[in-house]
Amino acid sequence: NIYFHSFWELLFAKWLNLSNIKWLYEPKTFDLGDTTYTPDFYLPEFDLYLEIKGFWRDDAIKKFKLFKRLYKDNKILVFDKQELRKKGIL
């Protein structure tokens, strides 16, 4: 019953399930002042946010950098095409 924004996010969620890793999809939106940022996944067991990226638009880069600056205590990783292939997800 989850609507994913991309096929890669769906594949990643399936991989997390097969790996028995608990996850939440877009569970929190962070205030960045003039805009907001919602990471794709949160892994509670690791206290880790994950962003799945096929490509970076300029506004997405700006939001991601601002999030990292404003919310330094929140761990976040980006899984791009190379990382998803490395893990056998793509």
Side-chain angles (χ1 to χ4, degrees), residues 16-84:
L16 289 170
N17 287 341
L18 290 171
S19 302
N20 292 315
I21 297 173
K22 292 182 175 119
W23 57 274
L24 300 169
Y25 184 69
E26 295 187 340
K28 185 173 181 179
T29 297
F30 293 87
D31 182 8
L32 301 180
D34 294 339
T35 189
T36 60
Y37 175 67
T38 306
D40 296 324
F41 290 89
Y42 178 67
L43 310 182
E45 295 172 57
F46 303 97
D47 190 24
L48 174 68
Y49 289 94
L50 283 162
E51 186 70 35
I52 306 299
K53 281 292 180 200
F55 61 93
W56 285 96
R57 294 187 328 257
D58 289 342
D59 62 325
I61 294 170
K62 185 178 177 181
K63 283 183 177 187
F64 185 76
K65 288 181 178 180
L66 188 54
F67 168 80
K68 287 184 70 167
R69 186 166 50 87
L70 294 177
Y71 296 94
K72 294 176 185 163
D73 293 337
N74 288 279
K75 297 181 288 184
I76 188 165
L77 294 177
V78 176
F79 280 25
D80 60 9
K81 186 177 189 178
Q82 181 181 357
E83 187 65 27
L84 293 169

